[in-house]
Amino acid sequence: MNPAETAPPSERTRIRRVTENARYERATLHAIIDAAYLCHIAFADAKGTHCIPMACWREGEHLYIHGSNGGRLVRQLLGDTQACITITHLDGLVLARSAFNHSMNYRSCMIYGRFEALTDDAEKRASLARFMDKIAIGRQAEIRPGNDKEFTATTVLRIPLDEAACKVRQGPPIDDAEDMGVQAWVGVLPFTQQRLEPIAAPDCSAPAPGYVRDWLAAA
Amino acid sequence: MNPAETAPPSERTRIRRVTENARYERATLHAIIDAAYLCHIAFADAKGTHCIPMACWREGEHLYIHGSNGGRLVRQLLGDTQACITITHLDGLVLARSAFNHSMNYRSCMIYGRFEALTDDAEKRASLARFMDKIAIGRQAEIRPGNDKEFTATTVLRIPLDEAACKVRQGPPIDDAEDMGVQAWVGVLPFTQQRLEPIAAPDCSAPAPGYVRDWLAAA
């Protein structure tokens, strides 16, 4: 492993609580982002500190979001505002022999930095197409693409993955030696983000394409 | 409905984008929090703006978290720091006839305010027991409760639900009239937080209690 992947990239991304769960490898970071449709973005403005859920996707070493030009979020994030983006996947409740050793299994990442807008139109169109690919490969060719008004009203923003860290907990509980005689069930109650049967809109008149027919199987 | 439940409690909780998705009723707020094991907390300190995932539970009109006394998060949140707590449940990808009208179905809430610590020991113990009840009713009586050292090392914090707002999107896509001839499948690709089969720890020697046996059925 690259030595750069075993240490935090900055002081504020150094995991200080339960350090054995810290992960600094790119592959872990990429997998956590790619498994997510949503991130939470923290930023501050004159009205306070905010935490906003946003759709996200990844291309290489950047995380992307899109938003309305007129919105507060886009204006503020492009005003050289430091942001912190966090993604958390909850994988299970961890039941231990003592109250204190209960925990959760999860995969999370935090990214610090500043967003920039994509100013090149071709690059912006290509990036929005990649976002559509994340939803369903092939769909971009089936729908009406964005017209000039919609395209102009949308800003695509990206933030580099330079200052990022992950935290991952997996596996059974870790009990204290003196608690091993406690007769309680111990283990994990797991969760997963499950896909459910697609729901066609009442006015849908087109047949289901492969990515809809295979939605459950592809999970 | 109480008139207070149809309007935002403050300027910064007034939903300004897609206002038809705004919800200000207490029942919606409570349901979104109660369905969550995790929240994301945004706050700022001298090192920047942060977004931290934390376990949470609700009691009445407060959201509760707990943390280590020595941790940065607890110290900062108790230092009269304004926080914004956001919970988001992703319910589905919404596929429309145009790229622009694609969306997501979700239930989210934002809470603004300042945390306070529970200083009364009995109240703090009762609150931690309620957190255990959220994980599994009855478990509190089966495990070793927190000892003095653990209890002292843990801070329970709460924030009032006074300044909060929800945003909920449900149902099929909403297409523009001029796109109705586009022959694309339209509808929702749904997600749910699914429970999976409990995984007993390798060293588990106690039988599974009802809340473990019924884990899948109770979902």
Side-chain angles (χ1 to χ4, degrees):
Chain A
M1 193 179 290
N2 185 325
E5 301 200 14
T6 60
S10 67
E11 174 56 24
R12 64 187 171 186
T13 48
R14 185 169 59 83
I15 308 287
R16 281 167 292 185
R17 313 269 340 147
V18 199
T19 54
E20 62 270 31
N21 292 340
R23 298 282 184 282
Y24 301 110
E25 327 87 62
R26 309 311 291 176
T28 302
L29 174 63
H30 292 175
I32 290 170
I33 298 172
D34 293 350
Y37 291 94
L38 285 176
C39 63
H40 284 85
I41 303 183
F43 67 96
D45 67 10
K47 288 181 182 158
T49 305
H50 311 281
C51 186
I52 311 272
M54 293 292 285
C56 65
W57 68 101
R58 182 181 68 86
E59 300 175 34
E61 294 298 327
H62 286 85
L63 178 134
Y64 288 71
I65 63 170
H66 75 309
S68 167
N69 283 355
R72 169 184 66 168
L73 180 77
V74 167
R75 268 183 290 126
Q76 189 65 31
L77 290 182
L78 293 181
D80 201 34
T81 299
Q82 180 252 309
C84 179
I85 299 98
T86 300
I87 292 170
T88 311
H89 303 285
L90 176 63
D91 293 326
L93 308 177
V94 179
L95 276 54
R97 290 174 175 85
S98 67
F100 193 77
N101 284 324
H102 279 64
S103 185
M104 290 185 184
N105 282 342
Y106 59 90
R107 291 158 289 142
S108 72
C109 71
M110 293 178 69
I111 304 152
Y112 287 91
R114 287 174 160 76
F115 280 95
E116 60 178 358
L118 295 200
T119 52
D120 180 83
D121 276 3
E123 208 182 325
K124 186 176 148 189
R125 278 193 201 279
S127 190
L128 287 168
R130 279 191 287 267
F131 179 37
M132 189 61 73
D133 284 346
K134 174 160 185 163
I135 296 169
I137 298 278
R139 187 159 181 85
Q140 183 66 29
E142 299 164 0
I143 54 176
R144 176 177 67 71
N147 60 33
D148 287 350
K149 187 182 158 204
E150 292 165 346
F151 186 73
T152 306
T154 304
T155 301
V156 176
L157 301 87
R158 68 179 197 173
I159 191 167
L161 302 181
D162 296 341
E163 192 180 348
C166 303
K167 207 168 172 183
V168 176
R169 194 203 185 283
Q170 297 175 295
I174 299 172
D175 275 301
D176 298 348
E178 56 267 36
D179 291 329
M180 295 310 288
V182 174
Q183 277 302 302
W185 185 89
V186 285
V188 177
L189 300 178
F191 292 109
T192 190
Q193 180 177 266
Q194 177 76 45
R195 296 171 172 207
L196 301 177
E197 196 69 49
I199 303 166
D203 59 12
C204 177
S205 57
Y211 57 79
V212 173
R213 294 195 309 272
D214 298 341
W215 173 247
L216 290 181
Chain B
M1 192 181 291
N2 184 325
E5 300 200 17
T6 60
S10 68
E11 175 55 23
R12 64 186 171 186
T13 48
R14 184 168 60 81
I15 307 286
R16 281 166 292 184
R17 313 273 334 151
V18 199
T19 53
E20 61 270 31
N21 291 341
R23 299 281 184 281
Y24 301 110
E25 327 89 62
R26 308 312 289 177
T28 302
L29 175 64
H30 292 175
I32 290 170
I33 299 172
D34 293 350
Y37 290 93
L38 284 177
C39 62
H40 284 86
I41 303 185
F43 66 97
D45 67 10
K47 288 182 182 156
T49 306
H50 311 282
C51 186
I52 312 271
M54 292 292 285
C56 65
W57 69 100
R58 183 181 67 87
E59 299 176 34
E61 294 298 326
H62 287 84
L63 178 133
Y64 287 71
I65 63 171
H66 75 309
S68 167
N69 283 355
R72 168 184 67 170
L73 180 77
V74 166
R75 268 183 290 127
Q76 189 65 31
L77 290 180
L78 293 180
D80 200 32
T81 299
Q82 180 252 310
C84 178
I85 299 99
T86 300
I87 292 169
T88 311
H89 303 286
L90 176 63
D91 292 326
L93 307 178
V94 180
L95 275 53
R97 290 175 175 84
S98 67
F100 193 78
N101 284 323
H102 279 64
S103 186
M104 290 185 183
N105 282 342
Y106 60 90
R107 292 157 288 141
S108 72
C109 71
M110 293 177 70
I111 303 152
Y112 287 91
R114 287 174 161 74
F115 280 94
E116 60 178 358
L118 296 200
T119 51
D120 181 83
D121 276 3
E123 207 181 324
K124 185 176 148 188
R125 278 192 200 279
S127 191
L128 287 168
R130 279 191 288 266
F131 178 39
M132 190 61 74
D133 285 345
K134 173 160 185 164
I135 296 170
I137 297 280
R139 187 159 182 86
Q140 183 66 30
E142 299 164 0
I143 55 175
R144 177 177 66 72
N147 59 34
D148 287 350
K149 188 183 157 203
E150 293 165 344
F151 186 72
T152 305
T154 303
T155 302
V156 176
L157 301 87
R158 68 178 197 174
I159 191 167
L161 301 181
D162 296 341
E163 191 181 347
C166 302
K167 207 167 171 183
V168 176
R169 195 204 183 281
Q170 297 174 297
I174 299 172
D175 275 302
D176 298 347
E178 56 268 36
D179 291 329
M180 297 308 288
V182 175
Q183 278 302 302
W185 185 90
V186 285
V188 177
L189 299 178
F191 292 109
T192 190
Q193 181 176 266
Q194 177 75 45
R195 296 171 173 208
L196 300 176
E197 196 69 49
I199 303 167
D203 60 10
C204 177
S205 57
Y211 56 79
V212 173
R213 294 195 310 272
D214 298 340
W215 173 247
L216 290 182

